[in-house]
């Protein structure tokens, strides 16, 4: 049923609730300073409450990685995960949750063990799903960032992705949208490589593959600031964090409206979304039946 286009809909994208980073960042100890996360709990609760109030309801709520700050094997990790789960349990049961793995969830250089642990807690590290004629792909971007400890897992994801794109082509989907944690690039497809984007040759290969497959947009987090750009009709959307801000943006969420022709999105602060909901212009797009 979800293979068919039924008219415009929207979803909510969030990123980096990252329980523990605010304290760690404030004290300048990002390795061990994550022993408190009260502020992040409040922000995540505010996000869930804002989403629950929305009318009409979003089709789903996707969290683009760095669910928690504690890296695999660190002291507070289990408590941070449990506290985030406790908050997310209050999401309206009609709004499915979609989880994307980030570097703090599986490690900067993940291993089979760290990925298995993530999958036990949050579900698969890569998968696809359909909503109303639109094909969504969730990728494990750490495998593109550093797969040195699990090269066979990167090969498996690559093979799977090729199969999925072949399926999408056959099914004649309305749009293809990708979710991953690390952006392909922040502003410019040929910018230099650093911690916040993918290495240039890897990036180029993925961008070309996505372009050929007709993918319209990639949504990511990781940067804790809003950014983005485009490559040959592929839009790269980088959303700031629900949790710790590293720039001038406010704690927030992105509302993404999918219409017959295009994908339109706007970042809202949690306060804006809680108090005012979605603006009229976006609601009107949703009301237009084809």
């Amino acid at each position: 049923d979800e293979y068919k286009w039924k008219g415009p809909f929207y979803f909510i994208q969030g990123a980096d609730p990252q329980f523990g980073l605010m304290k760690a960042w404030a004290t300048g100890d990002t390795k061990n300073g994550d022993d408190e996360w009260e502020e992040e709990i409040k922000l995540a609760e505010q996000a869930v409450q804002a989403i629950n109030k929305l009318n009409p309801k979003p089709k789903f709520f996707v969290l683009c990685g760095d669910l928690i700050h504690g890296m695999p094997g660190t002291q507070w990790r289990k408590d941070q995960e449990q506290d985030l789960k406790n908050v997310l349990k209050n999401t309206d049961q009609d709004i499915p949750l979609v989880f994307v793995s980030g570097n703090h969830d599986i490690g900067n250089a993940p291993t089979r063990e760290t990925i298995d642990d993530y999958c036990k807690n949050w579900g698969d590290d890569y998968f696809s799903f359909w909503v109303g004629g639109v094909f969504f792909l969730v990728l494990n971007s750490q495998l593109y960032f550093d797969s040195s400890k699990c090269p066979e897992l990167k090969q498996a994801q690559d093979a799977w992705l090729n199969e999925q794109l072949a399926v999408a082509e056959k099914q004649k989907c309305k749009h293809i949208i990708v979710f991953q944690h690390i952006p392909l690039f922040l502003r410019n497809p040929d910018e230099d490589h650093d911690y916040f984007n993918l290495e240039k040759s890897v990036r180029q290969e993925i961008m070309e593959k996505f372009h050929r497959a007709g993918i319209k947009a990639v949504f990511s987090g990781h940067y804790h600031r809003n950014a983005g750009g485009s490559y040959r009709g592929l839009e790269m959307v980088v959303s700031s964090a629900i949790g710790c801000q590293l720039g001038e943006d406010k704690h927030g969420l992105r509302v993404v409206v999918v219409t017959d022709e295009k994908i339109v999105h706007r970042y809202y602060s949690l306060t804006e979304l809680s108090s005012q909901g979605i603006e009229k212009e976006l609601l009107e797009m949703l009301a237009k039946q084809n």
Side-chain angles (χ1 to χ4, degrees):
D1 195 37
E2 289 299 338
Y3 289 144
K4 293 189 197 70
W5 176 253
K6 302 187 198 81
F9 64 87
Y10 82 103
F11 62 86
I12 301 288
Q13 182 218 5
D16 303 89
Q18 205 157 342
F19 282 21
L21 176 59
M22 289 171 90
K23 163 88 188 293
W25 189 258
T27 57
D29 180 4
T30 51
K31 291 274 193 291
N32 313 298
D34 60 331
D35 58 348
E36 285 174 26
W37 49 91
E38 277 306 310
E39 277 190 88
E40 283 97 340
I41 290 176
K42 288 193 188 109
L43 290 161
E45 285 172 345
Q46 197 185 346
V48 167
Q49 286 157 9
I51 292 168
N52 286 347
K53 273 168 48 182
L54 294 172
N55 184 22
K57 287 189 198 326
K59 287 287 187 186
F60 59 87
F61 171 30
V62 58
L63 273 169
C64 281
D66 282 2
L67 306 173
I68 54 160
H69 184 67
M71 286 277 190
T74 56
Q75 186 176 359
W76 306 107
R77 182 177 172 88
K78 285 277 168 271
D79 293 341
Q80 289 168 359
E81 286 181 336
Q82 193 51 57
D83 283 351
L84 178 58
K85 285 179 182 177
N86 291 342
V87 173
L88 292 174
K89 270 182 199 147
N90 297 316
T91 310
D92 186 307
Q93 60 187 30
D94 295 331
I95 304 170
L97 292 165
V98 177
F99 298 108
V100 181
S101 62
N103 56 308
H104 282 263
D105 306 312
I106 57 177
N108 285 320
T111 65
R112 185 174 281 278
E113 290 69 37
T114 64
I115 291 174
D116 283 350
D117 182 61
Y118 169 86
C119 293
K120 278 193 202 90
N121 264 301
W122 302 103
D124 290 339
D125 60 322
Y126 58 88
F127 56 96
S128 63
F129 61 97
W130 287 82
V131 174
V134 177
F135 192 45
F136 293 92
L137 292 161
V138 171
L139 298 180
N140 178 346
S141 55
Q142 287 317 116
L143 296 175
Y144 296 126
F145 191 80
D146 183 354
S147 62
S148 57
K149 293 180 179 166
C150 55
E152 74 289 354
L153 297 184
K154 177 184 184 292
Q155 285 168 343
Q157 176 172 259
D158 286 344
W160 172 86
L161 178 58
N162 291 337
E163 283 164 18
Q164 296 297 308
L165 294 176
V167 167
E169 192 175 24
K170 264 208 208 68
Q171 290 284 356
K172 297 280 181 276
C173 53
K174 187 62 79 173
H175 304 290
I176 311 173
I177 295 173
V178 172
F179 299 120
Q180 59 187 56
H181 179 61
I182 299 182
L184 298 167
F185 58 89
L186 297 173
R187 291 192 170 80
N188 201 314
D190 55 6
E191 69 198 16
D192 288 341
H193 166 55
D194 67 19
Y195 175 77
F196 287 112
N197 60 20
L198 291 180
E199 197 273 316
K200 272 175 131 173
S201 62
V202 174
R203 178 197 316 167
Q204 189 58 42
E205 191 183 328
I206 298 170
M207 290 189 308
E208 263 308 300
K209 180 182 281 192
F210 286 1
H211 166 69
R212 283 198 306 275
I215 291 172
K216 291 278 176 67
V218 178
F219 288 87
S220 71
H222 188 53
Y223 191 45
H224 295 253
R225 285 155 281 209
N226 287 309
S230 64
Y231 172 81
R232 302 180 72 186
L234 167 73
E235 189 181 7
M236 181 68 243
V237 184
V238 185
S239 293
S240 197
I242 292 170
C244 189
Q245 299 300 311
L246 301 184
E248 301 302 307
D249 294 295
K250 301 272 196 295
H251 308 281
L253 294 164
R254 193 172 290 277
V255 172
V256 186
V257 175
V258 184
T259 75
D260 191 12
E261 255 101 57
K262 57 191 178 190
I263 295 149
V264 181
H265 52 86
R266 172 158 177 229
Y267 185 83
Y268 289 83
S269 74
L270 295 179
T271 315
E272 271 180 307
L273 200 59
S274 306
S275 59
Q276 293 154 31
I278 300 173
E279 69 204 281
K280 193 159 156 263
E281 187 191 354
L282 295 184
L283 287 172
E284 281 168 359
M285 283 183 180
L286 289 170
K288 282 200 177 103
Q289 284 310 314
N290 299 339

